[in-house]
Amino acid sequence: MTAFRVVLVVVLAVVLAVLPLFGSDVLIQFGINALLLAVLAQGWNIIGGYTGYPSFGNSVFYGLGSYGVAIAMVQWNLPFAVGMIFGVVLAVGFAFLLGIPVLRLKGHYFAIATLALAQVMSAIVSNISLAGQNIGLVLPPLNNDRLFYELSLGLLVLSTLTVFWLTRSRFGFGLIAIRENEEGAAVMGVNTTLYKVLAFALSGIFTALAGGIHAYWITFLDPESAFDISLNVKMIIMAVFGGPGTVFGPILGALVLSAVSEVLSSEATNVAGLFFGIVVVAAVVLMPRGVADVIRQFRVSGWRYFIENLKAHRI
Amino acid sequence: MDLLAQVLINGVLLGGLYAVMALGLALVWGVLNIVNLAHGAFIMLGAYLAWHLYTYFGIDPFLGLPLTAIVMFCLGYAVQRGLLNLIVRAPMFNTLLITFGLEVVLTYLAQLAFSADFRTINPPYAGNSIALGPLVVPLARLMAFGVAVVLTVGMWLFLLHTKLGRAIRATAQNLVAARLYGVEPRHLYAMTFGIGIGLAGAAGCLYGTVSQINPYIGATLTAKCFAISIIGGLDNPLGVLVGGLVLGIIESLTVLYIGATFGDVASFGVLVLVLIVRPSGLLGKTA
Amino acid sequence: MVLNTFRTFCAVFAAVIAFSGTPTFAQDIVLGASVQLTGPVANTGRYYKDAYEFAIDKINAAGGVKVGNTKRKLVLKLYDNQSDVNLSVRQYTQLVSQDKVNFLLGPFASNFALADSAVSEKYRVPMVQGGGASDQIFSRKFKYIFGTLAPASHYFASTVNMLKELSPAPKTVALLYADDAFDVSVAEGTRPLLQKAGLKIVIDERYSTNASDFNSLLSQIKSVNADVVLVAGHETEILNFVRQAKSLAVAPKMYSFTVGVPSEDFRKALGKDADYAFGMTAWLPSASLKDRWFGDAVQFATAYKTKYGYDPDYHAASGVADVEALAQAIENAGSVDPQKVRDAIAKLNFPSLYGTIAFADNGQIDLPQTVIQVQADKLVAIYGGEGFIEKPKYPMPAWNAR
């Protein structure tokens, strides 16, 4: 990273940080949502982008984080920070307990297993009365969007720094090695099981924190929205759209797609969902390596980039 | 005792219905390695097609099943040829995303075309039942079970003993070698996917007769079909029948003995267990 | 590469800011709502859109709402929340903070109302909703949420009263309920009523929302020979329930459902199988319900059917009541100040096509439910506050004897 780029990123971060001072309420709302989605995408990036294990179970971490905060605040009257820690503890516990057996699976089996886990957790939580069963919990309202915005931004900065650290640390290199050739990595002395579970847990921590912030912000959660699989798919799409395995790709993907989705939802509500689906399909076909890759290669190959992608992947 | 027997019958018949639903998904997944997250949406479309055939032309859903299947086959062929063939050699993950996008699009189009009203296919015999002493066997589900067995065994024989079936399996195992033998892969992939969607269409016919249709049933059905395919194993169509039966029976017994809110816990719990202990499924070969 | 990223980022942000404004005329009174127009609950959600538009058009045609000395028109700003609770919360926030609407109309369904009322309370803008009946919505001591659906816990009250007067007297009851806010409230309220009436609850079972297979539960009902089956659930579940009851030859002496029966859609989907089913409604189009804008409930129902092509049920009437409540409250307060109008809503007491609109201290209306039954494709009012209105078709014959 050149000095110029570092300065640019810092400037961007500062701009984002002071946005609430002169932005409208709706912009701040959009910001919170987009920032949280960016955190989720970054979190997924760790296990999916860098380690190569496409997890559909991040919604479990999200849900555990949300419920951690909700149960702590509503049932036990503890402060928000304690709730967040509780959520993280739940997420890490889950990552270790269920991560070990599930991470032995490869490719789409891993994806399906995590998807099934998300469904199981949703079904289990809807039977636990401490969690309000299927009706969910209503949290005490806090009318301070700016606080949530800054918290989300802080979390995004933290997660991005973590991913950046990954690109320069031995742990991160180990994860990339696992992604490229797991057997080779094991032969080379990488403790693949430990590394995978750690990546899973790390991914889970950020996801759970994001879930906790979201729950407090929305003041309401129920199993369906907390363990929502389509949220997991959104995380993945944003990470993949932006560029998996890169530091800024997921952020870019999250912000662009959030903006598109928000504009559609407010201007053309009827077809918002339809357009989203079409965008996903088009993106996967035309730019499977993400927007980050498009930006990088466009200067080199121009419009031929898309055609080359098509030719490379079809039969 | 009677109650247990009745619930077991319910479970078995439910299992048959589940098997038909999952057959297309398992075929496409096991043979083409394409994980179709839009499978449930295709079942939904098949159900709507059967509903239209029944409501506007008076064609009975069971008799009209071949017609529905053929129309859906053509749709599947077109989708594969026009869209999915474009990403076959991309990372497997991309098929998950693209079929997810497809599911969203199909659901929306269905909602635009058919509105959010729910429909049922209600032929006069739909509510009939056969009495076996104190036990009751719903007729429609029994017929669906029969269809399930026929289709599953048919699929199995097709893949093992017909030229097209063998060509499909060859292409899936080794694309280059198949090409060298003169197989046209784009056409063959499209044929296979078409068959998978044709089966989904058939499942839709049956589903509309025993349950109700609305544009949003796709996602839940896909999730169930996943569970069934994995539990049974992707190598063999007969595995789907086993997977369906296992799931149907487990769900019915769970509702009876544990509680009606634990059905999903049971079915997905079993799925997770199978994945952890024996990922190739109950009937799959352990690699 | 980072520069390009930065440029893209700026462009996107600019686009968002550019798109985030909508002009409204200063004179009009804007009512905002986020309703389920698409998604799994859309088949009932869209009734609210139709009802809100219908009522607003009618009020405007009569000159509008009198605020002090001027008459102002009502304008509706409606978003589709795609049956997603989180999206509806964000949309309500947008309505208040960005679109600067004057007042809020509610979504359909209790779980939505529960979440969305947090927004109206946070921003102190009155919301009148006609889609959520769960007692939970009104138990948080919120001041800005009002509801025109009668409390969930009382839904089966008139039905239980009727059960006491039926002959041959039913003795055992199976109570099934979905696991969402509304239906759990219904069950909690119904249990003590059944116990007081001397009826024995032999099955008391909570089931998963969106369940499609009721065979196990139906087999249990059959094996204990329950006389009465009460189901609190959603239309799709009840549809499946009835069809599967037929295919398993389960025919209790009577069954009653919290939703479905009043709606034409539901009866059409079941056809003849809908016969004998009991339900309840807090509203029936009767000429005795006089209304300032529509004349009476019958005229309303006819006009509604002409415009939209389907008979309005209590959801539609409730939606209209919401608009009328706001209009009347604004006139009573003589201003559009949220606080003043809020107080005016709390004090409302006026007749309308929906019945008397008056809210209890917790913000919820209380109207008695009338027991209805499907008799040969027609919806018949059977039992009300004063006893039997019509003769019920009871007990229900076996399926093969219909």
Side-chain angles (χ1 to χ4, degrees):
Chain A
M1 283 269 281
T2 63
F4 173 68
R5 288 181 181 183
V6 173
V7 167
L8 202 57
V9 171
V10 169
V11 164
L12 211 61
V14 169
V15 164
L16 282 175
V18 299
L19 198 70
L21 291 177
F22 49 84
S24 71
D25 270 356
V26 175
L27 193 57
I28 298 177
Q29 289 254 320
F30 165 75
I32 298 175
N33 214 48
L35 289 170
L36 285 177
L37 279 169
V39 172
L40 293 176
Q42 274 293 30
W44 188 85
N45 196 16
I46 297 175
I47 183 75
Y50 280 93
T51 320
Y53 272 77
S55 159
F56 275 82
N58 276 32
S59 36
V60 175
F61 297 127
Y62 184 82
L64 287 174
S66 306
Y67 270 100
V69 166
I71 292 177
M73 295 185 78
V74 175
Q75 307 283 40
W76 299 329
N77 283 315
L78 297 167
F80 176 56
V82 175
M84 292 275 264
I85 296 174
F86 182 46
V88 168
V89 165
L90 286 174
V92 172
F94 179 83
F96 275 89
L97 273 172
L98 280 143
I100 296 179
V102 158
L103 282 161
R104 288 185 306 156
L105 299 165
K106 298 286 186 316
H108 48 167
Y109 281 110
F110 173 73
I112 302 300
T114 48
L115 204 140
L117 276 175
Q119 296 280 61
V120 173
M121 283 308 292
S122 172
I124 290 178
V125 169
S126 73
N127 280 303
I128 298 179
S129 46
L130 187 65
Q133 294 179 326
N134 202 38
I135 297 174
L137 295 168
V138 179
L139 286 90
L142 178 66
N143 194 355
N144 191 348
D145 275 357
R146 295 205 183 147
L147 176 66
F148 288 118
Y149 180 92
E150 303 298 345
L151 277 175
S152 312
L153 182 60
L155 191 58
L156 180 61
V157 168
L158 199 64
S159 60
T160 308
L161 284 175
T162 309
V163 173
F164 179 66
W165 166 74
L166 273 184
T167 60
R168 317 195 133 222
S169 72
R170 201 172 142 162
F171 177 57
F173 288 140
L175 293 181
I176 297 175
I178 292 175
R179 179 185 78 204
E180 298 300 324
N181 186 338
E182 187 160 349
E183 273 150 27
V187 163
M188 296 276 285
V190 172
N191 186 341
T192 52
T193 313
L194 180 65
Y195 273 42
K196 280 190 291 190
V197 174
L198 282 177
F200 203 37
L202 197 57
S203 168
I205 292 174
F206 289 115
T207 314
L209 288 170
I213 295 178
H214 187 264
Y216 197 15
W217 178 49
I218 294 270
T219 66
F220 170 77
L221 88 168
D222 66 356
E224 201 184 313
S225 57
F227 295 101
D228 190 9
I229 303 261
S230 68
L231 182 65
N232 205 135
V233 178
K234 275 205 189 113
M235 288 182 222
I236 296 175
I237 288 175
M238 289 175 183
V240 171
F241 183 79
T246 66
V247 178
F248 290 104
I251 303 180
L252 190 61
L255 290 174
V256 170
L257 282 178
S258 293
V260 169
S261 166
E262 199 72 15
V263 166
L264 285 176
S265 287
S266 42
E267 300 301 322
T269 45
N270 297 357
V271 290
L274 181 68
F275 272 140
F276 191 72
I278 294 179
V279 164
V280 168
V281 171
V284 171
V285 171
L286 293 172
M287 35 185 217
R289 279 193 298 281
V291 169
D293 200 63
V294 173
I295 294 177
R296 223 178 296 156
Q297 304 283 46
F298 201 71
R299 255 187 278 146
V300 173
S301 6
W303 294 105
R304 277 188 298 123
Y305 174 79
F306 297 115
I307 303 178
E308 273 161 20
N309 266 336
L310 270 173
K311 281 208 207 140
H313 290 142
R314 65 171 186 196
I315 49 169
Chain B
M1 202 54 228
D2 277 351
L3 179 57
L4 179 60
Q6 177 71 52
V7 169
L8 280 173
I9 291 182
N10 294 343
V12 166
L13 294 182
L14 182 63
L17 181 64
Y18 278 170
V20 185
M21 284 171 16
L23 200 53
L25 179 76
L27 173 73
V28 166
W29 188 352
V31 171
L32 292 187
N33 213 23
I34 289 179
V35 184
N36 184 9
L37 287 177
H39 185 79
F42 285 112
I43 297 181
M44 176 265 294
L45 288 178
Y48 269 110
L49 179 59
W51 182 85
H52 280 93
L53 287 176
Y54 178 69
T55 315
Y56 294 116
F57 300 105
I59 303 178
D60 175 84
F62 284 93
L63 293 177
L65 199 135
L67 180 58
T68 311
I70 291 174
V71 172
M72 294 302 290
F73 168 83
C74 298
L75 177 65
Y77 188 96
V79 167
Q80 178 72 30
R81 196 82 196 240
L83 184 66
L84 294 177
N85 268 357
L86 293 173
I87 47 115
V88 167
R89 289 192 300 151
M92 210 285 295
F93 189 56
N94 289 21
T95 48
L96 283 171
L97 289 182
I98 209 178
T99 50
F100 173 79
L102 195 59
E103 203 262 338
V104 172
V105 170
L106 288 176
T107 306
Y108 255 80
L109 290 178
Q111 133 111 30
L112 268 130
F114 307 122
S115 93
D117 288 343
F118 33 71
R119 329 244 179 187
T120 52
I121 305 177
N122 228 347
Y125 56 82
N128 292 357
S129 49
I130 303 176
L132 289 178
L135 304 174
V136 179
V137 179
L139 183 63
R141 293 219 176 176
L142 184 64
M143 287 164 72
F145 188 82
V147 172
V149 174
V150 166
L151 284 178
T152 316
V153 174
M155 249 356 296
W156 181 59
L157 292 172
F158 169 75
L159 283 176
L160 277 179
H161 296 296
T162 65
K163 198 162 135 190
L164 180 59
R166 285 198 284 245
I168 289 174
R169 281 162 56 223
T171 312
Q173 279 169 16
N174 192 331
L175 188 57
V176 174
R179 261 201 171 117
L180 287 172
Y181 273 87
V183 167
E184 217 293 70
R186 282 179 296 191
H187 169 69
L188 217 44
Y189 267 57
M191 286 289 283
T192 315
F193 194 74
I195 295 175
I197 300 305
L199 288 168
C205 268
L206 300 174
Y207 188 80
T209 317
V210 303
S211 188
Q212 50 83 24
I213 313 164
N214 67 63
Y216 312 103
I217 51 178
T220 344
L221 289 178
T222 309
K224 277 266 157 66
C225 292
F226 266 80
I228 299 160
S229 309
I230 300 257
I231 293 175
L234 296 171
D235 298 317
N236 188 338
L238 294 179
V240 177
L241 195 54
V242 170
L245 285 173
V246 165
L247 203 68
I249 293 175
I250 288 180
E251 274 184 13
S252 300
L253 289 176
T254 306
V255 172
L256 179 60
Y257 287 122
I258 304 181
T261 47
F262 290 93
D264 269 358
V265 178
S267 29
F268 290 107
V270 170
L271 174 58
V272 172
L273 239 80
V274 168
L275 277 170
I276 291 177
V277 169
R278 198 191 156 98
S280 51
L282 291 173
L283 244 63
K285 310 184 240 306
T286 30
Chain C
M1 180 236 136
V2 179
L3 195 58
N4 279 331
T5 318
F6 186 60
R7 274 190 234 151
T8 324
F9 180 72
C10 286
V12 165
F13 233 61
V16 168
I17 298 177
F19 269 110
S20 47
T22 12
T24 43
F25 288 97
Q27 280 295 87
D28 293 338
I29 302 175
V30 186
L31 305 179
S34 164
V35 167
Q36 299 90 321
L37 298 178
T38 53
V41 217
N43 64 323
T44 315
R46 65 204 164 137
Y47 294 164
Y48 287 88
K49 171 175 181 282
D50 293 344
Y52 294 156
E53 284 174 351
F54 200 54
I56 288 177
D57 288 344
K58 195 73 176 186
I59 295 177
N60 285 344
V65 178
K66 193 147 167 264
V67 185
N69 287 326
T70 48
K71 281 202 152 196
R72 290 156 72 161
K73 297 252 182 238
L74 291 172
V75 169
L76 179 67
K77 183 124 185 79
L78 193 76
Y79 289 133
D80 172 15
N81 60 36
Q82 300 169 34
S83 298
D84 177 346
V85 181
N86 279 320
L87 184 57
S88 82
V89 172
R90 290 208 309 276
Q91 286 174 339
Y92 272 106
T93 311
Q94 180 171 340
L95 284 166
V96 172
S97 50
Q98 173 74 10
D99 302 321
K100 306 252 186 278
V101 301
N102 296 95
F103 306 103
L104 296 172
L105 292 165
F108 166 59
S110 293
N111 51 334
F112 282 78
L114 194 61
D116 297 333
S117 53
V119 178
S120 58
E121 196 68 13
K122 188 159 142 175
Y123 289 94
R124 293 199 262 233
V125 174
M127 177 191 293
V128 185
Q129 55 90 12
S134 164
D135 302 48
Q136 280 193 330
I137 303 171
F138 301 98
S139 60
R140 295 171 295 170
K141 303 217 187 328
F142 281 7
K143 299 213 127 336
Y144 287 83
I145 182 72
F146 296 92
T148 51
L149 280 189
S153 48
H154 299 167
Y155 259 59
F156 276 119
S158 15
T159 312
V160 174
N161 287 340
M162 180 186 78
L163 289 177
K164 292 194 279 205
E165 298 188 36
L166 286 175
S167 137
K171 299 226 176 36
T172 54
V173 176
L175 179 64
L176 301 178
Y177 56 104
D179 58 2
D180 72 330
F182 169 70
D183 301 301
V184 168
S185 282
V186 170
E188 277 171 9
T190 310
R191 273 186 216 108
L193 293 173
L194 288 170
Q195 273 154 10
K196 266 216 304 236
L199 291 156
K200 181 154 175 270
I201 305 177
V202 289
I203 294 182
D204 187 340
E205 194 64 50
R206 200 177 81 233
Y207 66 85
S208 293
T209 307
N210 287 327
S212 58
D213 183 62
F214 290 93
N215 283 4
S216 276
L217 286 172
L218 282 163
S219 305
Q220 287 179 59
I221 291 173
K222 190 167 187 189
S223 79
V224 300
N225 245 311
D227 291 325
V228 171
V229 176
L230 301 177
V231 183
H234 308 91
E235 288 194 15
T236 46
E237 297 151 17
I238 292 175
L239 196 70
N240 282 331
F241 183 87
V242 174
R243 295 193 82 198
Q244 288 165 20
K246 178 175 177 187
S247 70
L248 280 172
V250 175
K253 294 209 178 70
M254 76 86 88
Y255 51 29
S256 179
F257 309 108
T258 50
V259 294
V261 171
S263 100
E264 199 184 320
D265 226 20
F266 177 84
R267 299 196 300 273
K268 244 196 334 196
L270 278 179
K272 283 243 204 35
D273 298 338
D275 237 19
Y276 295 99
F278 281 88
M280 71 285 288
T281 175
W283 179 80
L284 282 169
S286 138
S288 62
L289 295 169
K290 303 276 180 239
D291 186 274
R292 171 181 157 186
W293 288 281
F294 287 96
D296 62 40
V298 175
Q299 293 175 31
F300 159 72
T302 332
Y304 192 97
K305 171 109 192 219
T306 315
K307 173 143 193 207
Y308 292 113
Y310 62 90
D311 286 316
D313 69 351
Y314 69 87
H315 296 108
S318 178
V320 170
D322 296 341
V323 179
E324 292 196 6
L326 279 171
Q328 190 68 50
I330 296 171
E331 290 200 349
N332 290 356
S335 113
V336 291
D337 170 65
Q339 183 64 43
K340 295 206 180 111
V341 172
R342 186 255 144 216
D343 293 336
I345 299 175
K347 296 205 201 70
L348 279 176
N349 192 326
F350 71 99
S352 78
L353 60 86
Y354 185 63
T356 307
I357 297 186
F359 301 104
D361 284 340
N362 66 355
Q364 194 170 25
I365 210 172
D366 197 0
L367 295 168
Q369 300 278 359
T370 309
V371 177
I372 46 179
Q373 187 185 26
V374 182
Q375 294 185 350
D377 290 343
K378 281 200 6 245
L379 205 56
V380 180
I382 300 288
Y383 189 91
E386 273 111 59
F388 278 104
I389 306 169
E390 287 283 347
K391 197 160 179 305
K393 284 189 1 183
Y394 171 88
M396 188 164 79
W399 284 98
N400 52 13
R402 285 196 182 195

